[in-house]
Amino acid sequence: MLVVHKYGGTSVGDLDRIENVANRVAKAKEAGNDIVVVVSAMSGETNKLIGYAEHFTKNPAKKEMDMLLSSGERVTAALLSIALQSKGYDAVAMTGRQAGIVTDNTHTYARIESIDPTAMQAAIGVGKIVIVAGFQGINKDGSVTTLGRGGSDLSAVALAGALKADQCEIYSDVDGIYTTDPRIEPNAKKLDTISYDEMLELSSLGAKVLQNRSVELAKKLNVKLYAKSSFSDNEGTLITKESNSMEEVLVSGVVLDKNQARVTLRGVSDRPGIAAEIFTMLAKANINVDMIIQNMGTDGSTNLGFTVPQSEHENAKRLMESFDHDIQGMDFDEHVCKVSVVGVGMKSHSGVAATAFTVLAQSNINIQMISTSEIKVSMVIDEKYGELAIRTLHEAYELDK
Amino acid sequence: MLVVHKYGGTSVGDLDRIENVANRVAKAKEAGNDIVVVVSAMSGETNKLIGYAEHFTKNPAKKEMDMLLSSGERVTAALLSIALQSKGYDAVAMTGRQAGIVTDNTHTYARIESIDPTAMQAAIGVGKIVIVAGFQGINKDGSVTTLGRGGSDLSAVALAGALKADQCEIYSDVDGIYTTDPRIEPNAKKLDTISYDEMLELSSLGAKVLQNRSVELAKKLNVKLYAKSSFSDNEGTLITKESNSMEEVLVSGVVLDKNQARVTLRGVSDRPGIAAEIFTMLAKANINVDMIIQNMGTDGSTNLGFTVPQSEHENAKRLMESFDHDIQGMDFDEHVCKVSVVGVGMKSHSGVAATAFTVLAQSNINIQMISTSEIKVSMVIDEKYGELAIRTLHEAYELDK
């Protein structure tokens, strides 16, 4: 079996942890697998280098940042290869370039355009363990590029796709995907399996285990993805394509996102293009809008609500004031949160949303906004009820069973 | 004028020093020059990374070491480019590969085979300051290689040659080449000019300002080399080809090398090949032999003397004992040192060596071994007279004038 492992910054945070990773990789090799390992920079390294650059300017050139930041992963790759060699394993370290990763020209947030796996395949063919510096590639001009925060996940999935690997295992300090945050609900259970789409909803909703772009790519390339811990031998969670058996499970998880502020605009005039104007202005100010809901008031006028990150609340408020003449009333609340229920089972089962509304009402939690997708129900509520809502929903859907 | 600057580890040892280097480079650019800058890793970085690797094994693979160690220079290059950009200068950082440096396949001690200056010339052509990560290149397979300790000097000289630069300025924490070590003789004077050959003799004799291979390459490519300090505006020393005016100066400098142990073999049998046997055995044991002298004894037998580093003294002693039957007597002394007088003027002036012997005799310093080249006289003496001999010779050749 050909397996791609990826170890994050915490898993390779010091020399003893790199030794631990070497032992895990050696064990997987001994089990008869071909192994390609993608590594991040040692934890803290990337932030240290960013701090160095910001000593000179708050806005360093992105091309230079890529040369600077790509060095951390190279160090880890070389050290892990040395650690494996010291145990008698034949290993070879490769940069993103040497592994054949070509990206577009968007420095610090490049997209992978192609991967030529020839060099990796040649090394695998003679029994070598291949260690690849994650997070990086080169563009067509030969300049080093990086793939953005969490980019090593993306490297791992893309290499797994290019190599047609049997599976891709993403190692971190968390042993899988949980039905909810165990710090909020101690009865949270680790999921054995979850679909790509559920994982996408969960990770965009704030579960930080896997980078969103890498889940999207895994779905596109149909890469079997495992989220595992590098500190235990637990099975982890398999993220894979949707199967019929998955639909028997109504809800996979519930998630809390506390970084939300609500803006409600009442009686927005029916002048054409007013909504477009509002959201274009927010986008230009780099304010990331999350939920948007719009409905008609009883008098035929339109009510428009949306949420923004709490840090952008004041900016959003200031911008909205320029629409004074088009809007009857505005209402801002930075003390809200978003609770979401995610599950592919919703597609074929009715009543999932109704259950959520019912149990929250029973706990006297008022729902301020509702937004749904095929596999998700999100509700904006008062911030102080966030944890209670998560525990209530976790119990209602029997996620602890 | 096209000028190559090279800044060593101490000159870029922290962020303030990188800022200082940026100011110096900016000033050179403002003076109307085109500038290419070669940088080392921040001081301490390379040793830190070597320590990391040695955590796993005392003998890490050289290919892996090259990927590991080359990261330090990339960090400095990116940071210096960012520092210059923050001051409004157009700068671009390049790795060894991007600067077009191709080496042979000898990892950790590669030789530069070719340089394609196209990318650098294109950047210079549009007014950019080019910052190159020193010490590194790639081999024909595309693997990263490094050039050995002090390799950034070599990068700078090689780039200056490939770019046909007007001069190459090597910056360190010393402001030039001195007639002798100022810690021994406070009247030591900085030289304005010195020939490549004198510099080669001086650097192989222990003056650590310039890496020997880089001086050899500068001589071969006829690169005008300056040794300067990054912490002062002193003129520095020009290392260039020999001129007639240089020959008017009898002696350029005197040097002390304390890391010497003497081995004397008396009455070596005249069996053919015995000397070859002795030195082959020493070479196989990786014992670096420095001076070798041989002469006939009064009885027709041969006396053979040589020096080795003090750390190898015991090993050399042990090896020589296996020649017991071929040698009448052996004499070992690890408390010796070598004093050397260097100057191209010796070629055309007689009596330089005689002066050395005379003044040392006047100070009651016994000379144990003598070895001469066209531009050098080296003498092995008792270690405790080393500093006295240097001061005596410095005065005798009027080097303080």
Side-chain angles (χ1 to χ4, degrees):
Chain A
M1 194 159 80
L2 173 56
V3 186
V4 174
H5 286 198
K6 181 262 167 178
Y7 293 92
T10 321
S11 300
V12 294
D14 59 34
L15 299 177
D16 288 336
R17 289 187 171 183
I18 291 174
E19 178 103 41
N20 169 54
V21 165
N23 288 331
R24 298 188 77 97
V25 171
K27 203 170 153 191
K29 178 73 180 170
E30 290 293 342
N33 299 302
D34 289 323
I35 314 279
V36 173
V37 185
V38 175
V39 290
S40 298
M42 294 166 78
S43 56
E45 277 300 306
T46 302
N47 286 336
K48 186 190 81 180
L49 293 172
I50 290 173
Y52 282 1
E54 290 185 344
H55 173 87
F56 299 110
T57 166
K58 287 292 154 206
N59 194 22
K62 292 182 170 177
K63 188 168 188 290
E64 262 62 26
M65 285 309 282
D66 277 353
M67 193 200 286
L68 185 67
L69 297 184
S70 60
S71 65
E73 281 73 14
R74 298 161 67 105
V75 167
T76 320
L79 290 175
L80 179 58
S81 185
I82 288 168
L84 279 162
Q85 288 166 354
S86 76
K87 296 176 189 299
Y89 293 89
D90 198 4
V92 59
M94 295 186 181
T95 63
R97 172 181 63 81
Q98 290 172 276
I101 300 175
V102 177
T103 74
D104 67 10
N105 207 21
T106 319
H107 282 288
T108 75
Y109 203 77
R111 295 198 160 261
I112 296 174
E113 288 197 336
S114 66
I115 295 180
D116 175 357
T118 316
M120 287 186 293
Q121 282 164 339
I124 295 166
V126 295
K128 284 181 198 281
I129 299 169
V130 176
I131 320 287
V132 180
F135 176 65
Q136 61 186 273
I138 54 167
N139 63 17
K140 291 200 181 68
D141 302 334
S143 292
V144 183
T145 52
T146 66
L147 309 175
R149 280 272 164 179
S152 291
D153 284 5
L154 200 63
S155 304
V157 171
L159 292 181
L163 290 164
K164 303 193 193 328
D166 296 281
Q167 60 194 50
C168 178
E169 306 177 357
I170 309 284
Y171 288 88
S172 70
D173 50 0
V174 182
D175 66 353
I177 312 298
Y178 278 74
T179 51
T180 196
D181 185 340
R183 286 168 300 184
I184 298 175
E185 170 53 68
N187 289 324
K189 280 188 65 181
K190 186 162 63 67
L191 295 162
D192 293 332
T193 314
I194 190 173
S195 71
Y196 296 122
D197 288 331
E198 287 171 308
M199 190 63 232
L200 282 169
E201 292 287 5
L202 288 172
S203 67
S204 62
L205 294 172
K208 300 270 163 54
V209 179
L210 288 170
Q211 187 224 33
N212 223 338
R213 285 166 74 197
S214 64
V215 180
E216 275 169 28
L217 188 64
K219 182 186 175 188
K220 188 171 153 195
L221 302 177
N222 199 19
V223 170
K224 263 174 82 179
L225 208 57
Y226 281 90
K228 295 192 177 195
S229 164
S230 58
F231 302 109
S232 79
D233 286 323
N234 286 356
E235 266 302 298
T237 300
L238 169 62
I239 301 107
T240 187
K241 61 187 169 189
E242 207 175 306
S243 66
N244 288 336
S245 68
M246 281 183 189
E247 296 202 2
E248 292 167 15
V249 182
L250 273 187
V251 169
S252 294
V254 294
V255 213
L256 175 63
D257 182 353
K258 298 194 96 166
N259 184 22
Q260 295 270 334
R262 177 178 57 79
V263 178
T264 306
L265 311 177
R266 284 190 315 280
V268 179
S269 73
D270 58 357
R271 182 160 69 77
I274 174 90
E277 253 177 66
I278 289 171
F279 291 110
T280 303
M281 181 176 263
L282 288 164
K284 277 187 182 154
N286 279 316
I287 297 174
N288 197 15
V289 176
D290 181 8
M291 275 172 81
I292 301 176
I293 55 167
Q294 181 179 333
N295 57 347
M296 292 294 241
T298 45
D299 58 348
S301 74
T302 296
N303 292 339
L304 186 60
F306 56 88
T307 62
V308 296
Q310 286 183 353
S311 58
E312 298 296 343
H313 175 247
E314 286 301 320
N315 286 336
K317 202 166 172 175
R318 203 161 24 77
L319 285 175
M320 287 310 103
E321 276 155 12
S322 66
F323 289 95
D324 214 11
H325 49 289
D326 279 315
I327 294 168
Q328 286 171 22
M330 300 187 193
D331 181 26
F332 301 92
D333 189 348
E334 58 176 318
H335 298 293
V336 298
C337 66
K338 182 174 70 173
V339 292
S340 303
V341 177
V342 174
V344 292
M346 290 186 203
K347 286 187 194 176
S348 47
H349 294 75
S350 54
V352 171
T355 301
F357 306 153
T358 305
V359 297
L360 292 187
Q362 282 166 355
S363 295
N364 287 318
I365 299 170
N366 185 35
I367 302 171
Q368 301 179 17
M369 288 168 76
I370 298 171
S371 157
T372 61
S373 79
E374 233 187 345
I375 63 166
K376 185 194 68 176
V377 181
S378 289
M379 294 154 285
V380 170
I381 62 172
D382 190 327
E383 191 178 57
K384 68 172 178 275
Y385 294 120
E387 283 84 359
L388 174 62
I390 290 296
R391 285 192 295 265
T392 304
L393 293 165
H394 198 266
E395 198 189 343
Y397 295 110
E398 299 186 329
L399 293 175
D400 51 342
K401 295 286 155 62
Chain B
M1 195 159 78
L2 173 56
V3 185
V4 175
H5 285 199
K6 182 261 166 178
Y7 293 92
T10 320
S11 301
V12 293
D14 59 34
L15 299 177
D16 288 337
R17 289 187 171 182
I18 291 174
E19 178 103 41
N20 169 54
V21 165
N23 287 331
R24 298 186 78 96
V25 172
K27 202 171 156 191
K29 179 72 181 172
E30 290 294 340
N33 299 302
D34 290 322
I35 313 281
V36 173
V37 185
V38 176
V39 289
S40 298
M42 294 165 79
S43 56
E45 277 300 306
T46 302
N47 286 338
K48 186 191 80 178
L49 293 172
I50 290 173
Y52 281 0
E54 289 184 346
H55 173 86
F56 298 111
T57 166
K58 287 292 154 207
N59 195 21
K62 293 182 171 177
K63 188 169 189 290
E64 262 61 29
M65 286 308 283
D66 277 353
M67 193 201 284
L68 184 69
L69 298 183
S70 60
S71 65
E73 282 72 15
R74 298 161 66 106
V75 167
T76 319
L79 289 175
L80 179 58
S81 184
I82 288 168
L84 279 162
Q85 289 166 355
S86 77
K87 296 175 189 299
Y89 293 89
D90 198 2
V92 59
M94 295 185 182
T95 62
R97 171 181 63 82
Q98 289 171 277
I101 300 175
V102 176
T103 74
D104 67 11
N105 207 22
T106 318
H107 282 288
T108 76
Y109 203 76
R111 295 199 159 260
I112 295 173
E113 288 197 336
S114 66
I115 294 179
D116 175 358
T118 316
M120 287 185 293
Q121 282 164 340
I124 295 165
V126 295
K128 285 183 198 281
I129 299 169
V130 176
I131 320 287
V132 180
F135 176 64
Q136 61 186 273
I138 54 167
N139 64 17
K140 291 200 181 70
D141 301 333
S143 293
V144 183
T145 52
T146 65
L147 308 175
R149 281 271 164 181
S152 292
D153 284 6
L154 201 63
S155 304
V157 171
L159 291 180
L163 291 164
K164 303 192 192 332
D166 295 281
Q167 61 194 51
C168 178
E169 306 177 357
I170 309 283
Y171 288 89
S172 70
D173 50 359
V174 183
D175 67 352
I177 312 298
Y178 278 74
T179 51
T180 196
D181 185 341
R183 287 167 301 185
I184 299 175
E185 171 52 70
N187 289 323
K189 281 188 65 181
K190 186 163 62 66
L191 295 161
D192 293 333
T193 314
I194 189 172
S195 72
Y196 296 121
D197 287 332
E198 287 171 309
M199 189 63 232
L200 282 169
E201 292 287 5
L202 288 172
S203 66
S204 62
L205 294 171
K208 298 273 163 54
V209 180
L210 287 171
Q211 188 226 31
N212 222 338
R213 285 166 73 196
S214 64
V215 180
E216 275 168 27
L217 189 65
K219 183 186 175 188
K220 189 171 151 194
L221 302 177
N222 198 20
V223 170
K224 262 173 83 178
L225 206 57
Y226 280 89
K228 293 192 176 194
S229 164
S230 57
F231 303 108
S232 79
D233 286 322
N234 287 356
E235 265 302 295
T237 300
L238 168 63
I239 301 108
T240 186
K241 61 186 169 189
E242 207 176 305
S243 66
N244 288 335
S245 68
M246 281 184 192
E247 296 202 3
E248 292 167 15
V249 181
L250 272 187
V251 168
S252 295
V254 292
V255 213
L256 175 62
D257 181 354
K258 298 195 95 167
N259 184 23
Q260 295 270 333
R262 177 178 58 78
V263 178
T264 306
L265 310 178
R266 285 189 316 279
V268 179
S269 72
D270 57 358
R271 181 161 69 79
I274 174 89
E277 254 177 67
I278 288 171
F279 292 111
T280 303
M281 182 176 262
L282 288 163
K284 278 187 181 157
N286 279 317
I287 297 174
N288 197 17
V289 176
D290 181 8
M291 278 172 79
I292 300 176
I293 54 167
Q294 181 179 333
N295 58 345
M296 293 293 241
T298 47
D299 58 349
S301 72
T302 297
N303 293 339
L304 186 62
F306 56 88
T307 61
V308 297
Q310 286 182 354
S311 58
E312 298 296 342
H313 176 246
E314 287 300 322
N315 286 336
K317 202 166 173 177
R318 204 161 23 76
L319 286 175
M320 287 311 103
E321 275 153 15
S322 66
F323 289 96
D324 214 12
H325 49 287
D326 280 316
I327 294 167
Q328 286 172 22
M330 301 188 192
D331 181 26
F332 301 91
D333 189 347
E334 57 175 320
H335 298 293
V336 299
C337 65
K338 182 174 70 173
V339 293
S340 303
V341 177
V342 175
V344 290
M346 290 185 201
K347 288 186 194 178
S348 48
H349 293 75
S350 54
V352 170
T355 302
F357 306 152
T358 305
V359 297
L360 292 188
Q362 283 166 355
S363 295
N364 287 318
I365 299 169
N366 185 36
I367 302 171
Q368 301 178 19
M369 288 168 76
I370 298 170
S371 158
T372 60
S373 78
E374 233 187 344
I375 63 166
K376 184 195 68 177
V377 182
S378 290
M379 294 154 285
V380 171
I381 61 172
D382 189 328
E383 192 179 57
K384 67 173 179 273
Y385 295 120
E387 284 83 358
L388 174 62
I390 291 296
R391 286 191 296 264
T392 305
L393 292 165
H394 199 266
E395 197 189 345
Y397 295 110
E398 298 185 330
L399 293 175
D400 51 341
K401 295 287 155 59

